[in-house]
């Protein structure tokens, strides 16, 4: 068996993983990044919109500062975030955007003169100042008081990830792609590295490391319909949960985006609605004003997603072999606008739907988009539960997003957190000594090997892995979607427990030889169901509505009982996660209040306490 | 509508000593808006769970899913079955090392490529976190972005005659990458330094200019312009002249 040693092992070579790697390699440490795909194919490359940082260079960003960014972020989180972390983030973001410029990102820049911009479908004029010529420009995004989203045309994630990977290559960071972590190695106190399976040969490889970072992105693929890349299936979250000691935070906080296209759930931008697009039902009736007379299609993401679901539940969706959907209508915006201002949408429609949005309706439905929950860390990115284990990016619950993250704040988080956590890892590496007990390593590898053999030989049963996955998808769809209620959640938890049993009885239909994809899925299937149970059980117990977590039977945001973060751990052999809670924030620089959008009632923090 | 599709798919698992390269046939009912992403996943789930292929973003932006569809390298995720006859032949990209079935190892080749052309900004300036960013004209930023759009799918290399003849050929994608750094004012390499990397048969002089690369590029990168520009510039650099302006620049 191949065994490799390194100072820092990054599980993940997306923006968060590589930003940490660059920091450690820059300080002279040896770093290996693992990835399921070549680093540049990581999901970070898909982000188009941009990343938030209060530079205040453009006319519509005038007067912006980290303070305003901080306020937007806390409100966006519905007061579920750690405010110290949100502040650290807002303060550091401008420096990181400039650093990216230094490393080679072709940010769009300020062009002085009078420009025509659009708001709510209507044009207006604004002058960019000569003194700001050539500085980083910014565009508008939802939930922000100022134009603050830095962008490189419509390929921000792509440009930033390529730049970061260039930088990593320059510093000698190794990327072992087509390599999948299946478990963490630990002695009960320290994390010592990970066991990985080669997706080229199927062989197991042991990585021993003085520090280990989980930067594996989101786990959206436990849902059937998601904007996430197909590799975002939570493999590293499972490895963390399976230690029995590392808690996952706020797993019930799952963000849905209103406009994924049908059938492939590829995202079409919020800009469609921002520029005046409307949502229609199967009778071609514009229904949003019936529910939200004021804001209609321009209500916030969670609100629009909720209303669309409600409307389809009334039988107003268009039914297809791929499920129900609604229509997005941008035809009235005209050919010129669509081919230039919405070029990306135009391409997606032509390529993936074979329709021309200039004269055809776009089939859309709300779809899973972002995982606010993840490996719970402290402010330094150090995971709870094990020394030497860190986490950053979408995989982590650091926690600056609370129960709803703002557009443009996630990509920025990957590099900001990556920089900060990377520095903390460097400090840790300078002061730590680790020993690698061979027995611990051998035991972990033996456990993984046994699981593989049992699957190949069908020792535990002959359940079909795809059937099990479909069953899990079904439950999450009805129980842990946009709307949740006690009855469905309770039923869902029960069914997922049965599905978990089935997942433990999977047997392969194929030989499992080499880079067999059936084996890869079968190995993580029981863990995916455990993640699904963390989401569903957490949602069942959280009897309030906050951010993206909406309980029909508990419509209030309940600060009295639930201004808290859920922590889920999983003991070996258990059938449910163990849930505990901690205070959402150590300080409330901005005391809990109204978000200013979305409506809803609030039970104040100082209302008389009830027994929980 | 409601056609029955026949997929002829290249199969070979190099890890299995009992296996030899062959073609398998799978039959599927076509559904509305079906793409090769949907079709191949259905085949894997319903007919043969060992079938290897790569998808990641499934949205035409990550470059994972390039394969040869009825003779032409393209992205499988944005290929609609409706645009094809009812018999579709799928082969892995040539040139790259085969991982298994339709899956090839583009990652290793591209990483070596960007080490060879040193695909990063070369500068002596240190980053100062207390300073404002260095200014850049927006036109220049846009020009760099245009060449930065490559998704490293490998279609251009797979379609290239020179690449088929010499394994060390850098390919249009590498030349385009270097062109991106040549127009970037942050990169301080001299023309002579750039042409040390590409001014030979592995680079611009190996290229036969038949432009299969540009024809198949799913991102429609201006590969032809860049190849021509580099060739002219290399010749002029060799005789000590400054060379023409990149057509991408304003
Ligand atoms: C369609 C779409 C558009 C978006 N647009 C924006 C936007 O405009 N602005 C914004 O702020 N945010 C946006 N987001 C969110 C943002 O893109 C992601 O949150 C962010 O890129 C996550 O980066 P990351 O580094 O944490 O993880 P990723 O980039 O997802 O990288 C994860 C890495 O982990 C590896 N990995 C995973 N599991 C394993 C394992 N078991 N073993 C080994 N390696 C593993 C993967 O191979 C990969 O290298 C968008 C998201 C989507 C889905
Ligand atoms: S033009 Fe040059 S690089 Fe392009 S396909 Fe032909 S030989 Fe290859
Ligand atoms: S240049 Fe075009 S075809 Fe070649 S790798 Fe890049 S995107 Fe693919
Ligand atoms: S899967 Fe990403 S380009 Fe096709």
């Amino acid at each position: 068996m191949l065994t490799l040693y390194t100072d820092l092992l990054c599980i993940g070579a997306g923006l968060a993983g590589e930003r940490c790697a660059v920091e450690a390699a820059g300080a002279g440490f040896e770093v290996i990044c693992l990835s399921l795909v070549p680093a540049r194919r990581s999901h970070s490359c898909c982000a188009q919109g941009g990343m938030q940082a209060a530079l205040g260079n453009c006319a519509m960003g005038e007067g912006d500062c980290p303070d305003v960014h901080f306020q937007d972020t806390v409100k966006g989180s519905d007061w579920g975030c750690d405010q110290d972390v949100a502040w650290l983030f807002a303060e550091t973001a401008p420096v990181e955007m400039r650093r990216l410029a230094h490393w080679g990102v072709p940010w769009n820049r300020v062009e002085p003169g009078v420009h025509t911009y659009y708001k709510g479908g209507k044009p207006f004029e604004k002058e960019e100042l000569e003194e700001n010529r050539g500085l980083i420009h910014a565009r508008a995004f939802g939930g922000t008081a100022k134009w603050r989203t830095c962008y490189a045309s419509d390929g921000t994630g792509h440009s930033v990830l390529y730049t970061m990977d260039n930088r990593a290559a320059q510093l000698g960071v190794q990327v072992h792609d087509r390599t999948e972590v299946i478990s963490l190695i630990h002695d009960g106190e320290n994390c010592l590295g990970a066991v990985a399976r080669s997706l080229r040969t199927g062989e197991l490889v042991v990585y021993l490391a003085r520090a280990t970072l989980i930067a594996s992105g989101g786990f959206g693929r436990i849902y059937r319909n998601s904007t996430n890349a197909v590799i975002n299936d939570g493999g590293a979250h499972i490895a963390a949960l399976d230690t029995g000691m590392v808690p996952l935070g706020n797993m019930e906080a799952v963000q849905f985006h209103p406009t994924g296209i049908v059938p492939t759930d590829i995202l079409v931008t919020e800009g469609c609605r921002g520029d005046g697009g409307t949502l229609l039902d199967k009778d071609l009736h514009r229904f949003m004003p019936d529910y939200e007379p004021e804001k209609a299609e321009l209500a916030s993401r969670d609100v629009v997603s909720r209303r669309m679901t409600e409307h389809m539940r009334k039988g107003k969706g268009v039914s297809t072999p791929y499920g129900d959907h609604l229509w997005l209508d941008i035809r009235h915006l005209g050919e010129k606008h669509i081919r230039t201002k919405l070029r990306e949408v135009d391409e997606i429609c032509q390529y993936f739907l074979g329709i021309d949005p200039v004269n055809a309706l776009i089939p859309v439905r709300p779809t899973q988009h972002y995982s606010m929950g993840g490996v719970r860390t402290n402010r330094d990115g150090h995971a709870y539960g094990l020394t030497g284990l860190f986490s950053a990016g979408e995989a982590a619950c650091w926690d600056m997003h609370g129960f709803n993250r703002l557009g443009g704040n996630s990509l920025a988080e990957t590099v900001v957190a990556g920089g900060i956590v990377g520095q903390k890892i460097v400090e840790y590496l300078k002061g730590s000594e680790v020993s690698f007990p061979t027995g611990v390593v051998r035991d972990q590898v033996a456990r993984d090997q046994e699981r593989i053999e049992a699957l190949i030989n069908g020792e535990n049963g002959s359940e079909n892995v795809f059937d099990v996955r479909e069953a899990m998808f079904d439950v999450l769809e009805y129980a842990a979607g946009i709307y949740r209620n006690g009855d469905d959640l309770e039923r869902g938890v029960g069914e997922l427990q049965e599905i978990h049993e089935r997942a433990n009885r999977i047997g392969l239909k194929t030989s499992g030889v080499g880079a067999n994809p059936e084996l890869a899925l079968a190995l993580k299937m029981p863990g995916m169901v455990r993640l699904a149970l963390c989401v569903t059980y957490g949602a069942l117990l959280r009897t309030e509505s906050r951010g993206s977590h909406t309980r029909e039977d508990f419509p209030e945001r309940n600060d009295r009982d639930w201004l808290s973060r859920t922590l889920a751990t999983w003991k070996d052999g258990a059938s449910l996660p163990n849930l505990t809670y901690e205070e959402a924030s150590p300080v409330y620089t901005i005391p809990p209040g109204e978000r200013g959008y979305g409506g809803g009632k609030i039970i104040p923090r100082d209302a008389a306490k009830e027994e929980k | 509508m409601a056609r029955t599709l026949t997929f002829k798919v290249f199969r070979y698992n190099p890890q299995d000593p009992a296996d030899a390269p062959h073609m398998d046939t799978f039959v599927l009912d076509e559904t509305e808006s079906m793409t090769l992403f949907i079709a191949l996943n259905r085949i894997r789930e319903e007919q043969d769970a060992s079938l290897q292929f790569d998808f990641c973003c499934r949205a035409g932006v990550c470059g994972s899913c390039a394969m040869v569809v009825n003779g032409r390298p393209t992205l499988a995720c944005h290929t609609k079955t409706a645009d094809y006859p009812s018999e579709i032949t799928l082969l892995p990209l040539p040139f790259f090392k085969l991982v298994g079935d339709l899956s090839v190892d583009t990652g290793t080749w591209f990483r070596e490529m960007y080490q060879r052309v040193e695909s990063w900004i070369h500068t002596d300036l240190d980053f100062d976190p207390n300073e404002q960013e260095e200014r850049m004209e927006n036109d220049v930023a846009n020009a760099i972005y245009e060449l930065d759009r490559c998704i490293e799918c490998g279609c251009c290399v797979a379609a290239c005659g020179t690449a088929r003849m010499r394994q060390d050929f850098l390919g249009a994608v590498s030349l385009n990458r270097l062109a991106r750094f040549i127009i970037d004012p942050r990169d301080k390499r001299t023309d002579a330094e750039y042409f040390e990397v590409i001014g030979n048969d592995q680079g611009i002089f190996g290229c036969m200019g038949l432009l299969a690369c540009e024809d198949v590029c799913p991102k429609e990168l201006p590969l032809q312009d860049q190849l021509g520009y580099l060739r002219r510039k290399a010749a002029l650099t060799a005789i000590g002249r400054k060379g023409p302006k990149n057509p991408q620049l304003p």
Side-chain angles (χ1 to χ4, degrees), chain B:
Chain B
M1 237 6 245
R3 290 191 302 172
T4 302
L5 301 177
T6 305
F7 292 91
K8 306 228 146 140
V9 182
F10 175 86
R11 303 301 304 272
Y12 180 48
N13 181 354
Q15 303 300 319
D16 182 355
D19 199 14
H22 61 282
M23 300 296 286
D24 272 352
T25 301
F26 301 99
V27 177
L28 270 190
D29 287 334
E30 188 171 35
T31 47
E32 204 177 320
S33 303
M34 189 183 236
T35 60
L36 284 182
F37 170 73
I38 296 171
L40 283 168
N41 276 291
R42 267 187 57 194
I43 292 174
R44 177 139 92 192
E45 284 164 31
E46 296 163 12
Q47 305 188 33
D48 187 343
S50 71
L51 183 62
Q52 292 184 55
F53 49 76
D54 295 322
F55 288 97
C56 184
C57 71
R58 54 85 181 89
V61 288
C62 78
S64 292
C65 63
M67 59 182 71
V68 180
V69 183
N70 282 3
R72 189 184 161 84
T74 190
L75 297 180
C77 68
H78 77 195
T79 299
K80 294 183 293 291
T81 54
D83 295 339
Y84 283 79
S86 62
E87 186 170 303
I88 300 175
T89 304
L90 302 176
L91 300 171
L93 280 193
F95 183 78
F96 299 100
K97 189 173 174 220
L98 184 77
V99 175
D101 301 340
L102 299 172
S103 171
V104 296
D105 184 0
T106 45
T108 304
W109 190 85
F110 276 101
R111 194 154 174 105
E112 276 167 18
M113 178 281 269
Y114 57 82
Q115 295 280 2
R116 261 168 92 188
V117 304
E118 302 192 359
S119 162
W120 50 82
I121 300 280
H122 291 52
T123 178
D124 303 333
L125 291 178
D126 279 334
F127 174 70
D128 182 347
N130 301 314
E131 279 294 312
Q132 225 173 19
E133 61 271 23
E134 210 182 314
R135 291 168 196 256
M136 182 186 271
E137 283 303 310
N138 196 40
D139 285 345
V140 176
N142 280 331
I144 298 169
Y145 176 78
E146 256 332 274
L147 304 185
D148 220 16
R149 284 168 40 244
C150 164
I151 56 174
E152 300 192 347
C153 64
C155 286
C156 56
V157 194
C160 170
T162 307
R164 218 160 287 174
M165 287 182 303
R166 48 184 312 158
Q167 200 62 32
D168 62 357
F169 183 53
L170 279 162
V173 57
S174 326
L175 302 175
N176 176 73
R177 177 65 47 81
L178 214 62
R180 175 238 180 275
F181 286 97
I182 295 175
I183 64 171
D184 193 326
R186 291 166 292 198
D187 196 301
K188 306 297 184 219
R189 277 177 277 187
T190 62
D191 287 349
E193 283 171 305
Y194 290 125
F195 288 105
E196 211 163 289
V197 185
I198 56 169
N200 49 34
D201 283 353
Q202 297 158 16
I204 26 181
F205 299 121
C207 165
M208 301 179 293
L210 300 175
L211 298 171
C213 49
E214 180 161 325
D215 280 352
V216 298
C217 175
K219 287 283 148 182
E220 293 168 6
L221 274 114
L223 299 175
Q224 175 173 11
D225 281 358
Q226 294 306 313
L227 290 169
Y229 156 74
L230 287 174
R231 226 184 268 121
R232 266 176 287 132
K233 191 168 162 89
L236 290 166
T237 304
I239 57 168
R241 296 229 328 257
K242 188 109 182 57
K245 194 172 110 182
N246 192 301
Q248 210 60 50
L249 282 174

Side-chain angles (χ1 to χ4, degrees), chain A residues 88-111:
Chain A
L88 190 62
F89 161 74
E91 197 188 19
T92 317
V95 179
E96 286 297 322
M97 296 315 125
R98 293 180 176 133
R99 195 191 309 271
L100 290 171
H102 183 75
W103 284 344
V105 172
W107 293 119
N108 278 57
R109 305 292 181 135
V110 175
E111 289 182 80

Side-chain angles (χ1 to χ4, degrees), chain A residues 128-158:
Chain A
E128 300 290 353
L129 300 178
E130 179 60 39
E131 66 195 62
N132 290 334
R133 172 189 285 270
L135 296 177
I136 299 171
H137 196 244
R139 60 163 51 136
F141 245 61
T144 66
K146 304 276 178 188
W147 287 22
R148 178 188 301 133
T149 307
C150 311
Y151 63 104
S153 293
D154 49 9
T156 310
H158 174 93

Side-chain angles (χ1 to χ4, degrees), chain A residues 348-366:
Chain A
I348 289 172
C349 290
Q350 311 263 7
Y351 270 141
F352 292 96
L353 297 169
I355 63 163
D356 182 350
V358 170
N359 48 44
L361 298 172
I362 310 169
V364 294
R365 66 183 165 207

